[in-house]
Each structure stands twice: as C-alpha cells, then as structure tokens.
Amino acid sequence: MIVDSKIEEQAKQTALQPGQNQEFDWKQCWYPVCFVQDLPNNRPYSFSLYDEPFVLYRDKDGQLVCLVDRCPHRAAKLSDGQITDGKIECLYHGWQFGSNGQCLHIPQLPTNAKIPTNACVQSFKVVERQGIVWMWAGEREVAVDECIPTIEELDKPEFVTTDVMRDLPYDQFYFIENVMDPAHVQISHTGTLGKREYAQPLEMEVVENSPQAVRGRLRGMSKPNQPWTQLEYIAPNFVIYQYSIPQRGVVGGLGLYSIPLGKGRCRILVRNYLGIKTWKIKLIPRWLDHMFRNKVLEEDMSLVIGQKAQIERLGQSLKQVYLPLKSCDTLVLEYRKWLDKFGSSLPYYQGYSTSKNIGSDDNSSNPMLLDRFSQHTQLCRSCTHAHQVTTRVKQTCVGVAIALAALAILTDAWIQVMAVSASLGAVALAVAATEFKTHFERPYTRH
Ligand code: FES
C-alpha cells in the first residue's frame, strides 16, 4: 500500500510552473556509474557516457577522481595506464596526471622544463552516495549533491539491499520502458518473478508528468481494493517501485538506475531493498543471488533485443508501430511522452511520436548480444572472484585426476583400485565445476 499523500505532495513540489523551462538538460544531472563494491582496487576503471570515454581512480587520499579517458599527448586511453602514487599514468610515454586533470610529470622533459599548461585532461565531479559512484556531467561548480536520486529509506540502518549491475545491448529508453511496464512480469518472468495465471487487468494512474519526473501508481484488478504500488521515473536515469504492507510490517522497493553508455548500449544498477533483515539476504552469497537476477534480466533481454530490431527495421514512430492498451500501457506511454515533451536535449532518444539520431547501431550485427560474461561477470567483483575460484577448482581436479590415473598405471592391486576410484571422483568434480562455471559465462535462453 502506498502513502497517497506523499506522491501528491511530491507532484505539487515538482509540477511545472507557468513560464518554467520545459527542456530537461542532460548535462545538469547525476549519472550512476557503478556500485562502489565493484570498483577494482588500485586500478583505473573505464566507463562511458553517450560514447564519451571516462576513467575513474582513487587518488592518494582515497578520493575518487573522474577524468576524460584520453591522454592529451597522443590520445591513448588513460584507463590502459596505471595508478602511481595516487596519480594516473599513461602507459604510452609515462605522462602523469593529478586529481584535477593537470599534468604533473612528463618523463621526456628536462627536470627544470615547464610542463605546458594545456597538457591537462578535463575532470568531472564524482561522489559516492548510498554505495553508488555518481558522476555530474556538467561543470563541477554547479553540481548539486542534493539532486542525486537516492532512496530515502536506505539511510535508515534497518534497510538492506541486494545489488546487481549489468550492461545491456540497447538504449537506456528501451530499459526504462521495459521497467515501466509491470504488465509483462507475470508472463515474461513466469517461474522466476511471476506466474502466468496471475496475469490480470491493471489499474494505473498518472499523478505527474513534469521535466523532473513521471509519477504514477498501479494495482491489480482481479480482486477488489488491492494495495497500490507507487512507480516513479525520476529523470533521466532512475525508476523506483515502492511498496509497503503495514499488516506484515514490510516496507521495500526496487530501484532501477541506468546510465546511457553510448548508442545502443546502457548499464543498469538494480537495487532491491527491504526494511527487514532476513536470513536470505545475510546468508546468500552475492554471486549466487546474481545467478537468479541475471536469469530474470535475460528473460526480458532477448525480447527487447527482438523488439528493438523490429522497430529499427520498420523505421516508423512508436505511435505508428505500437497498439497500446489504455489500462496497463499507461505508464509506458507516459514515459515515451515525457521523452517527446522534455527529452529533446538527450543526444538520442525515441519518444512516442518524435525521436533524435535513431537508427540501427553498431550492435545490430553483433551475434553476442546476450553475453553474461562480458555484460555482468567481468563488471562484478563477486562473480569475477567466484568464476576464478571455480576455474581453479576445475584445473586442480583435472590435475589430480591425471596424477591419480598415472599412479594407477604404475601400481597394482588395491592401490590401483583406490587410485582409479579417486581419479574418477576428481573427474566428476571437474565436470561439476565446468558446469557450474557456465553460470558465469552463458546466458539463460528459453529454448
Ligand atoms: Fe599518453 Fe603519450 S599518449 S603519454
């Protein structure tokens, strides 16, 4: 059940005033880069925003630094470099840069020579908030920390989260449309999040459509007076579902952050949160939870990839292609209409009847559109570690099996029987480890 007065109050606060600028400025906002726990230790971390490459690293004081990922000398990627004494060093010719992007050392210059003033890299403001790294895309002087779309409940100690990050091979607006569409859950996610027989008519209401947000609520109609769930899109990178069940003392939600990495690709940071500590959250390892969450994501990914291909092939507006239902597609349409009304500054977008710079992207001919290893495992420290351990277990078992087989050949009688049995056991373990390893590598497919 939601607190109705809360969203009405938020709607009043953010409602468009007469004369107010209708344009949403994509540079005047925060972008979620990654979960802090997935940042590598003492290594540069690369990411992109609308195809512009950036590099993150920690300086000597442990503060995060964000620079354009391009050396001013001859354009090598700084993220291919190394961190030396809190400075980032380009590994091509060894130029070193400080936290404001200024060049501090050029090995090829004589000791007393002055470093050229234009030997610098543009830097951007980054902060850590609620376990996420946030980047401000505009001038650092005008960055407003209060505008970070945090989840209020997570500042309370009783709330716990489970977090997963994944890169998707389509634009951010396909992801946001996907998660503004609760009607698909009982069908697409049958067996994981939903059940086909629970699919039902939905009642949806739009409370606000302003430059800052689309706010609404929804509930099932199969039974009377079902509790409302609050659904909000906070422009341009955040969707949140919030619910509370007072009878059971449960308050929780699902935060869905995303960053447009470039044309035809985005990164998502999915955060489930709950106001009670359950044994599940305490005991289930993060990598095990990610197996389930990746499966859920992949259930939709193959469908959205197909949807995107059809839309691009037709080359028409969504208004011409879609046949929306008035009830359960309300919030999807409201988001696409938000893009029509306020999204024209976004480097590319596809609204309901308008779009910008849309066409097939470089991904369209890529056969590896679903690749759990590169899209998740390599980005996630927990899954990378689990994958490495599994690989080592497999290699060790293979080595032990070979050694035991050799021992069996060289010995006789009861030692031979024991060596053969143990070797077969090691082979079985190696096979199990190989099978387990595929959970970090291969995507789920329905067929
Ligand atoms: Fe970076 Fe030369 S390209 S130091």
Side-chain angles (χ1 to χ4, degrees), residues 268-311:
I268 60 170
L269 285 74
V270 179
R271 169 161 267 183
N272 283 272
Y273 65 95
L274 205 58
I276 48 169
K277 291 192 171 137
T278 71
W279 63 270
K280 277 188 187 173
I281 289 178
K282 275 188 194 165
L283 295 183
I284 294 181
R286 192 168 176 238
W287 52 264
L288 191 57
D289 179 60
H290 286 185
M291 284 184 191
F292 172 75
R293 299 203 182 277
N294 273 298
K295 183 180 176 195
V296 171
L297 289 169
E298 285 155 2
E299 285 170 339
D300 280 352
M301 282 172 72
S302 54
L303 295 167
V304 177
I305 289 166
Q307 174 197 22
K308 171 179 178 280
Q310 291 301 319
I311 290 167

Short mmCIF file of all heavy atoms in Angstrom, two decimals, residues 268-311:
data_model
loop_
_atom_site.label_atom_id
_atom_site.label_comp_id
_atom_site.label_asym_id
_atom_site.label_seq_id
_atom_site.Cartn_x
_atom_site.Cartn_y
_atom_site.Cartn_z
N ILE A 268 22.91 -0.94 -16.28
CA ILE A 268 21.87 -0.82 -15.27
C ILE A 268 22.43 -1.22 -13.90
O ILE A 268 23.28 -2.10 -13.79
CB ILE A 268 20.63 -1.66 -15.62
CG1 ILE A 268 20.99 -3.14 -15.74
CG2 ILE A 268 20.01 -1.17 -16.91
CD1 ILE A 268 19.78 -4.04 -15.84
N LEU A 269 21.94 -0.53 -12.88
CA LEU A 269 22.29 -0.85 -11.50
C LEU A 269 20.96 -1.12 -10.79
O LEU A 269 20.16 -0.21 -10.59
CB LEU A 269 23.01 0.32 -10.81
CG LEU A 269 24.48 0.55 -11.19
CD1 LEU A 269 24.61 1.16 -12.57
CD2 LEU A 269 25.15 1.45 -10.17
N VAL A 270 20.72 -2.39 -10.51
CA VAL A 270 19.43 -2.80 -9.95
C VAL A 270 19.60 -3.03 -8.45
O VAL A 270 20.50 -3.74 -8.02
CB VAL A 270 18.93 -4.09 -10.63
CG1 VAL A 270 17.59 -4.52 -10.03
CG2 VAL A 270 18.79 -3.87 -12.13
N ARG A 271 18.71 -2.42 -7.69
CA ARG A 271 18.85 -2.45 -6.24
C ARG A 271 17.52 -2.84 -5.61
O ARG A 271 16.54 -2.09 -5.67
CB ARG A 271 19.28 -1.04 -5.81
CG ARG A 271 19.23 -0.77 -4.36
CD ARG A 271 20.09 0.43 -4.04
NE ARG A 271 21.43 0.00 -3.69
CZ ARG A 271 22.40 0.82 -3.30
NH1 ARG A 271 22.18 2.12 -3.27
NH2 ARG A 271 23.58 0.35 -2.97
N ASN A 272 17.46 -4.05 -5.05
CA ASN A 272 16.29 -4.45 -4.26
C ASN A 272 16.54 -4.05 -2.82
O ASN A 272 17.65 -4.26 -2.31
CB ASN A 272 16.11 -5.97 -4.31
CG ASN A 272 15.52 -6.44 -5.61
OD1 ASN A 272 14.32 -6.50 -5.76
ND2 ASN A 272 16.39 -6.73 -6.57
N TYR A 273 15.55 -3.50 -2.17
CA TYR A 273 15.77 -3.14 -0.77
C TYR A 273 14.55 -3.51 0.07
O TYR A 273 13.43 -3.59 -0.42
CB TYR A 273 16.13 -1.66 -0.60
CG TYR A 273 15.03 -0.70 -0.98
CD1 TYR A 273 14.17 -0.18 -0.02
CD2 TYR A 273 14.87 -0.29 -2.29
CE1 TYR A 273 13.18 0.72 -0.36
CE2 TYR A 273 13.87 0.60 -2.65
CZ TYR A 273 13.02 1.10 -1.67
OH TYR A 273 12.03 1.97 -2.01
N LEU A 274 14.84 -3.76 1.35
CA LEU A 274 13.81 -4.27 2.25
C LEU A 274 14.07 -3.72 3.64
O LEU A 274 15.22 -3.58 4.05
CB LEU A 274 13.91 -5.81 2.25
CG LEU A 274 12.68 -6.60 2.61
CD1 LEU A 274 11.52 -6.28 1.68
CD2 LEU A 274 13.01 -8.10 2.53
N GLY A 275 12.99 -3.45 4.35
CA GLY A 275 13.13 -2.86 5.68
C GLY A 275 13.27 -3.88 6.78
O GLY A 275 13.21 -3.53 7.96
N ILE A 276 13.43 -5.14 6.44
CA ILE A 276 13.68 -6.14 7.48
C ILE A 276 14.87 -6.99 7.06
O ILE A 276 15.04 -7.28 5.88
CB ILE A 276 12.46 -7.06 7.73
CG1 ILE A 276 11.90 -7.56 6.40
CG2 ILE A 276 11.40 -6.36 8.55
CD1 ILE A 276 10.89 -8.66 6.57
N LYS A 277 15.66 -7.39 8.03
CA LYS A 277 16.81 -8.22 7.71
C LYS A 277 16.37 -9.67 7.72
O LYS A 277 15.91 -10.17 8.73
CB LYS A 277 17.92 -7.99 8.73
CG LYS A 277 18.50 -6.61 8.59
CD LYS A 277 19.75 -6.45 9.38
CE LYS A 277 20.36 -5.11 8.99
NZ LYS A 277 20.87 -4.31 9.99
N THR A 278 16.48 -10.32 6.58
CA THR A 278 16.10 -11.72 6.55
C THR A 278 17.36 -12.57 6.44
O THR A 278 18.40 -12.10 6.00
CB THR A 278 15.19 -12.03 5.33
OG1 THR A 278 16.01 -11.95 4.16
CG2 THR A 278 14.04 -11.06 5.22
N TRP A 279 17.24 -13.83 6.82
CA TRP A 279 18.40 -14.72 6.75
C TRP A 279 18.89 -14.85 5.32
O TRP A 279 20.05 -15.01 5.05
CB TRP A 279 18.05 -16.10 7.31
CG TRP A 279 16.98 -16.81 6.53
CD1 TRP A 279 15.64 -16.74 6.73
CD2 TRP A 279 17.18 -17.66 5.38
NE1 TRP A 279 14.98 -17.50 5.79
CE2 TRP A 279 15.89 -18.07 4.96
CE3 TRP A 279 18.29 -18.10 4.68
CZ2 TRP A 279 15.69 -18.91 3.87
CZ3 TRP A 279 18.10 -18.94 3.59
CH2 TRP A 279 16.81 -19.33 3.20
N LYS A 280 17.91 -14.71 4.35
CA LYS A 280 18.28 -14.88 2.95
C LYS A 280 19.34 -13.85 2.55
O LYS A 280 20.35 -14.18 1.95
CB LYS A 280 17.05 -14.69 2.07
CG LYS A 280 16.19 -15.89 1.94
CD LYS A 280 15.13 -15.62 0.91
CE LYS A 280 14.14 -16.76 0.87
NZ LYS A 280 13.01 -16.46 0.01
N ILE A 281 19.06 -12.57 2.88
CA ILE A 281 19.99 -11.52 2.48
C ILE A 281 21.33 -11.69 3.19
O ILE A 281 22.38 -11.45 2.63
CB ILE A 281 19.36 -10.14 2.72
CG1 ILE A 281 18.23 -9.94 1.70
CG2 ILE A 281 20.38 -9.02 2.60
CD1 ILE A 281 17.46 -8.67 1.81
N LYS A 282 21.27 -12.15 4.45
CA LYS A 282 22.52 -12.33 5.20
C LYS A 282 23.35 -13.49 4.69
O LYS A 282 24.56 -13.44 4.62
CB LYS A 282 22.19 -12.58 6.68
CG LYS A 282 22.00 -11.31 7.48
CD LYS A 282 21.87 -11.70 8.92
CE LYS A 282 21.34 -10.55 9.75
NZ LYS A 282 20.88 -10.97 11.04
N LEU A 283 22.67 -14.59 4.35
CA LEU A 283 23.41 -15.83 4.09
C LEU A 283 23.70 -16.12 2.62
O LEU A 283 24.68 -16.79 2.31
CB LEU A 283 22.65 -17.02 4.68
CG LEU A 283 22.52 -17.03 6.20
CD1 LEU A 283 21.80 -18.28 6.67
CD2 LEU A 283 23.89 -16.96 6.87
N ILE A 284 22.86 -15.62 1.72
CA ILE A 284 23.07 -15.97 0.31
C ILE A 284 24.23 -15.15 -0.24
O ILE A 284 24.22 -13.92 -0.19
CB ILE A 284 21.79 -15.71 -0.51
CG1 ILE A 284 20.69 -16.66 -0.05
CG2 ILE A 284 22.05 -15.87 -2.00
CD1 ILE A 284 19.40 -16.53 -0.79
N PRO A 285 25.29 -15.83 -0.76
CA PRO A 285 26.41 -15.07 -1.33
C PRO A 285 25.92 -14.22 -2.52
O PRO A 285 24.98 -14.60 -3.21
CB PRO A 285 27.38 -16.15 -1.81
CG PRO A 285 26.87 -17.43 -1.32
CD PRO A 285 25.45 -17.26 -0.90
N ARG A 286 26.59 -13.09 -2.71
CA ARG A 286 26.17 -12.16 -3.76
C ARG A 286 26.19 -12.83 -5.14
O ARG A 286 25.29 -12.63 -5.95
CB ARG A 286 27.12 -10.95 -3.73
CG ARG A 286 26.64 -9.77 -4.55
CD ARG A 286 27.44 -8.53 -4.26
NE ARG A 286 27.04 -7.43 -5.11
CZ ARG A 286 27.87 -6.78 -5.92
NH1 ARG A 286 29.14 -7.10 -5.97
NH2 ARG A 286 27.42 -5.79 -6.67
N TRP A 287 27.24 -13.65 -5.40
CA TRP A 287 27.33 -14.27 -6.73
C TRP A 287 26.18 -15.24 -6.97
O TRP A 287 25.73 -15.42 -8.10
CB TRP A 287 28.68 -14.97 -6.93
CG TRP A 287 29.07 -15.93 -5.85
CD1 TRP A 287 29.85 -15.69 -4.78
CD2 TRP A 287 28.67 -17.31 -5.75
NE1 TRP A 287 29.98 -16.82 -4.00
CE2 TRP A 287 29.27 -17.83 -4.58
CE3 TRP A 287 27.88 -18.15 -6.52
CZ2 TRP A 287 29.09 -19.15 -4.18
CZ3 TRP A 287 27.70 -19.47 -6.12
CH2 TRP A 287 28.30 -19.95 -4.96
N LEU A 288 25.69 -15.88 -5.90
CA LEU A 288 24.58 -16.82 -6.06
C LEU A 288 23.29 -16.05 -6.36
O LEU A 288 22.50 -16.43 -7.22
CB LEU A 288 24.44 -17.65 -4.78
CG LEU A 288 23.52 -18.86 -4.83
CD1 LEU A 288 23.93 -19.82 -5.93
CD2 LEU A 288 23.51 -19.59 -3.48
N ASP A 289 23.09 -14.95 -5.65
CA ASP A 289 21.93 -14.10 -5.91
C ASP A 289 21.98 -13.58 -7.36
O ASP A 289 20.96 -13.49 -8.03
CB ASP A 289 21.96 -12.92 -4.92
CG ASP A 289 20.82 -11.96 -5.13
OD1 ASP A 289 19.66 -12.39 -5.03
OD2 ASP A 289 21.08 -10.78 -5.44
N HIS A 290 23.19 -13.29 -7.85
CA HIS A 290 23.32 -12.75 -9.20
C HIS A 290 22.95 -13.77 -10.28
O HIS A 290 22.54 -13.38 -11.38
CB HIS A 290 24.75 -12.24 -9.43
CG HIS A 290 25.01 -10.95 -8.71
ND1 HIS A 290 26.17 -10.23 -8.84
CD2 HIS A 290 24.22 -10.23 -7.87
CE1 HIS A 290 26.10 -9.14 -8.09
NE2 HIS A 290 24.92 -9.13 -7.49
N MET A 291 23.10 -15.06 -9.98
CA MET A 291 22.69 -16.06 -10.98
C MET A 291 21.19 -15.91 -11.24
O MET A 291 20.73 -15.93 -12.38
CB MET A 291 22.97 -17.47 -10.45
CG MET A 291 24.41 -17.84 -10.52
SD MET A 291 24.59 -19.55 -9.99
CE MET A 291 26.34 -19.62 -9.83
N PHE A 292 20.43 -15.76 -10.15
CA PHE A 292 18.98 -15.60 -10.29
C PHE A 292 18.65 -14.28 -10.99
O PHE A 292 17.86 -14.23 -11.94
CB PHE A 292 18.32 -15.65 -8.91
CG PHE A 292 16.86 -15.30 -8.92
CD1 PHE A 292 15.93 -16.22 -9.40
CD2 PHE A 292 16.42 -14.06 -8.48
CE1 PHE A 292 14.58 -15.89 -9.42
CE2 PHE A 292 15.07 -13.74 -8.50
CZ PHE A 292 14.14 -14.65 -8.98
N ARG A 293 19.30 -13.22 -10.57
CA ARG A 293 18.95 -11.89 -11.11
C ARG A 293 19.34 -11.78 -12.58
O ARG A 293 18.66 -11.14 -13.37
CB ARG A 293 19.61 -10.79 -10.29
CG ARG A 293 19.11 -10.85 -8.87
CD ARG A 293 19.19 -9.61 -8.07
NE ARG A 293 18.72 -9.93 -6.74
CZ ARG A 293 17.44 -9.96 -6.37
NH1 ARG A 293 16.51 -9.66 -7.25
NH2 ARG A 293 17.09 -10.29 -5.16
N ASN A 294 20.46 -12.41 -12.96
CA ASN A 294 20.83 -12.39 -14.38
C ASN A 294 19.82 -13.17 -15.21
O ASN A 294 19.49 -12.77 -16.33
CB ASN A 294 22.23 -12.98 -14.57
CG ASN A 294 23.29 -11.92 -14.42
OD1 ASN A 294 23.33 -10.96 -15.18
ND2 ASN A 294 24.14 -12.06 -13.43
N LYS A 295 19.33 -14.25 -14.65
CA LYS A 295 18.32 -15.02 -15.38
C LYS A 295 17.07 -14.16 -15.61
O LYS A 295 16.52 -14.12 -16.72
CB LYS A 295 17.95 -16.29 -14.59
CG LYS A 295 16.98 -17.16 -15.34
CD LYS A 295 16.60 -18.41 -14.57
CE LYS A 295 15.55 -19.17 -15.36
NZ LYS A 295 14.87 -20.18 -14.60
N VAL A 296 16.65 -13.46 -14.57
CA VAL A 296 15.47 -12.58 -14.69
C VAL A 296 15.72 -11.52 -15.76
O VAL A 296 14.88 -11.28 -16.63
CB VAL A 296 15.15 -11.91 -13.33
CG1 VAL A 296 14.07 -10.86 -13.50
CG2 VAL A 296 14.71 -12.97 -12.32
N LEU A 297 16.89 -10.90 -15.73
CA LEU A 297 17.20 -9.87 -16.73
C LEU A 297 17.21 -10.46 -18.14
O LEU A 297 16.69 -9.86 -19.08
CB LEU A 297 18.57 -9.24 -16.42
CG LEU A 297 18.62 -8.34 -15.19
CD1 LEU A 297 20.07 -8.00 -14.83
CD2 LEU A 297 17.83 -7.06 -15.41
N GLU A 298 17.78 -11.65 -18.27
CA GLU A 298 17.90 -12.26 -19.61
C GLU A 298 16.55 -12.70 -20.15
O GLU A 298 16.36 -12.78 -21.37
CB GLU A 298 18.89 -13.43 -19.55
CG GLU A 298 20.33 -12.95 -19.47
CD GLU A 298 21.27 -13.94 -18.82
OE1 GLU A 298 20.81 -15.05 -18.46
OE2 GLU A 298 22.46 -13.61 -18.66
N GLU A 299 15.59 -12.98 -19.25
CA GLU A 299 14.24 -13.32 -19.73
C GLU A 299 13.67 -12.17 -20.56
O GLU A 299 12.98 -12.40 -21.54
CB GLU A 299 13.33 -13.62 -18.53
CG GLU A 299 13.59 -14.98 -17.91
CD GLU A 299 12.87 -15.19 -16.59
OE1 GLU A 299 12.47 -14.20 -15.93
OE2 GLU A 299 12.72 -16.35 -16.19
N ASP A 300 13.99 -10.94 -20.16
CA ASP A 300 13.50 -9.78 -20.91
C ASP A 300 14.44 -9.37 -22.04
O ASP A 300 14.00 -8.88 -23.07
CB ASP A 300 13.35 -8.57 -19.98
CG ASP A 300 12.06 -8.63 -19.18
OD1 ASP A 300 11.23 -9.52 -19.46
OD2 ASP A 300 11.89 -7.79 -18.28
N MET A 301 15.74 -9.57 -21.82
CA MET A 301 16.70 -9.03 -22.78
C MET A 301 16.48 -9.54 -24.19
O MET A 301 16.49 -8.78 -25.15
CB MET A 301 18.14 -9.35 -22.32
CG MET A 301 18.62 -8.44 -21.21
SD MET A 301 20.20 -8.97 -20.54
CE MET A 301 21.32 -8.54 -21.87
N SER A 302 16.27 -10.87 -24.32
CA SER A 302 16.12 -11.40 -25.68
C SER A 302 14.87 -10.80 -26.34
O SER A 302 14.86 -10.53 -27.54
CB SER A 302 16.04 -12.92 -25.65
OG SER A 302 15.01 -13.32 -24.76
N LEU A 303 13.81 -10.55 -25.54
CA LEU A 303 12.59 -9.97 -26.10
C LEU A 303 12.80 -8.52 -26.53
O LEU A 303 12.34 -8.09 -27.58
CB LEU A 303 11.46 -10.05 -25.06
CG LEU A 303 11.03 -11.48 -24.71
CD1 LEU A 303 10.16 -11.50 -23.47
CD2 LEU A 303 10.30 -12.12 -25.88
N VAL A 304 13.52 -7.77 -25.68
CA VAL A 304 13.74 -6.35 -26.00
C VAL A 304 14.68 -6.21 -27.22
O VAL A 304 14.48 -5.34 -28.06
CB VAL A 304 14.29 -5.58 -24.78
CG1 VAL A 304 14.59 -4.14 -25.14
CG2 VAL A 304 13.29 -5.64 -23.63
N ILE A 305 15.67 -7.12 -27.32
CA ILE A 305 16.56 -7.09 -28.49
C ILE A 305 15.73 -7.31 -29.78
O ILE A 305 15.89 -6.62 -30.78
CB ILE A 305 17.66 -8.18 -28.36
CG1 ILE A 305 18.66 -7.76 -27.27
CG2 ILE A 305 18.38 -8.40 -29.69
CD1 ILE A 305 19.59 -8.88 -26.82
N GLY A 306 14.80 -8.26 -29.70
CA GLY A 306 13.93 -8.52 -30.85
C GLY A 306 13.01 -7.34 -31.14
O GLY A 306 12.80 -6.96 -32.30
N GLN A 307 12.46 -6.73 -30.09
CA GLN A 307 11.58 -5.57 -30.22
C GLN A 307 12.33 -4.42 -30.91
O GLN A 307 11.84 -3.81 -31.86
CB GLN A 307 11.12 -5.15 -28.82
CG GLN A 307 10.32 -3.87 -28.75
CD GLN A 307 10.27 -3.32 -27.32
OE1 GLN A 307 11.12 -3.61 -26.49
NE2 GLN A 307 9.27 -2.50 -27.06
N LYS A 308 13.54 -4.17 -30.44
CA LYS A 308 14.36 -3.08 -30.99
C LYS A 308 14.64 -3.32 -32.49
O LYS A 308 14.53 -2.41 -33.30
CB LYS A 308 15.67 -3.03 -30.20
CG LYS A 308 16.73 -2.11 -30.75
CD LYS A 308 17.95 -2.17 -29.82
CE LYS A 308 19.10 -1.31 -30.29
NZ LYS A 308 19.90 -1.88 -31.35
N ALA A 309 14.96 -4.58 -32.83
CA ALA A 309 15.27 -4.89 -34.24
C ALA A 309 14.05 -4.62 -35.12
O ALA A 309 14.18 -4.07 -36.22
CB ALA A 309 15.72 -6.35 -34.35
N GLN A 310 12.87 -4.99 -34.62
CA GLN A 310 11.65 -4.77 -35.41
C GLN A 310 11.39 -3.28 -35.61
O GLN A 310 11.05 -2.82 -36.70
CB GLN A 310 10.44 -5.41 -34.72
CG GLN A 310 10.44 -6.91 -34.71
CD GLN A 310 10.48 -7.49 -36.11
OE1 GLN A 310 9.82 -7.00 -37.02
NE2 GLN A 310 11.30 -8.51 -36.31
N ILE A 311 11.53 -2.52 -34.53
CA ILE A 311 11.25 -1.08 -34.59
C ILE A 311 12.24 -0.40 -35.55
O ILE A 311 11.86 0.43 -36.38
CB ILE A 311 11.33 -0.46 -33.17
CG1 ILE A 311 10.14 -0.96 -32.35
CG2 ILE A 311 11.35 1.06 -33.23
CD1 ILE A 311 10.24 -0.69 -30.87
#
